[in-house]
């Protein structure tokens, strides 16, 4: 199992590569927080589109379908990572914070 420190080192290397890729193309000027949030939504829609009208599949997916899902998730995560970079936060830190909040919450169906 990977330690948190391992993830941070991997994340730091990945965000360095992502921002170098972005900057080499001059895209940073377009990567505002609102634009990145819209991009996350658009990519999420593309992930959802993979399931459109497929009522018979019921969690039985081909390797190609799974790979297509992975690539769409990668697009979503890429934009999320760009947002984390702009906000100066680590993704695992904010996910852990939200998980800690959710552990204390109760929903109607929990009662």
């Amino acid at each position: 199992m990977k330690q948190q420190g391992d993830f941070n080192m991997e994340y730091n290397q990945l965000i360095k590569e992502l921002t170098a890729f972005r900057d080499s193309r001059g895209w940073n000027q377009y990567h505002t927080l609102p634009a990145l949030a819209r991009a996350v939504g658009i990519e999420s829609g593309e992930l959802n589109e993979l399931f459109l009208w497929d009522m018979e599949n019921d969690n039985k997916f081909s390797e190609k379908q799974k790979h297509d899902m992975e690539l769409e998730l990668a697009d979503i995560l890429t934009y999320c990572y760009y947002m984390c970079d702009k906000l100066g936060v680590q993704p695992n830190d904010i996910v852990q914070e939200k998980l800690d909040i959710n552990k204390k919450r109760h929903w109607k169906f929990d009662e």
Side-chain angles (χ1 to χ4, degrees):
M1 181 175 211
K2 291 187 177 188
Q3 299 293 320
Q4 179 70 23
D6 293 338
F7 175 83
N8 285 335
M9 187 162 43
E10 290 176 16
Y11 170 75
N12 289 336
Q13 179 59 35
L14 182 57
I15 196 64
K16 185 177 179 180
E17 289 182 45
L18 284 171
T19 55
F21 175 79
R22 174 200 67 201
D23 294 348
S24 72
R25 285 157 177 75
W27 294 345
N28 191 33
Q29 64 180 321
Y30 306 111
H31 282 197
T32 63
L33 287 172
L36 291 168
R38 286 189 291 273
V40 168
I42 290 164
E43 294 299 340
S44 295
E46 290 179 13
L47 176 61
N48 247 335
E49 192 173 15
L50 297 175
F51 303 102
L52 188 62
W53 312 122
D54 193 359
M55 302 301 206
E56 296 176 16
N57 221 345
D58 197 31
N59 296 322
K60 296 175 187 160
F61 301 101
S62 70
E63 290 305 311
K64 181 189 180 324
Q65 288 171 311
K66 289 178 185 177
H67 189 251
D68 290 344
M69 287 181 233
E70 291 169 7
L71 293 177
E72 292 303 336
L73 282 169
D75 287 340
I76 294 164
L77 286 170
T78 296
Y79 286 119
C80 288
Y81 282 9
Y82 282 138
M83 289 188 79
C84 286
D85 184 59
K86 293 276 183 187
L87 292 167
V89 297
Q90 294 280 327
N92 276 9
D93 292 344
I94 61 175
V95 169
Q96 184 65 58
E97 179 183 359
K98 184 63 178 184
L99 177 59
D100 292 342
I101 290 168
N102 285 341
K103 285 179 179 179
K104 296 172 186 163
R105 294 177 64 195
H106 298 283
W107 288 267
K108 287 184 179 183
F109 57 84
D110 288 339
E111 297 171 353

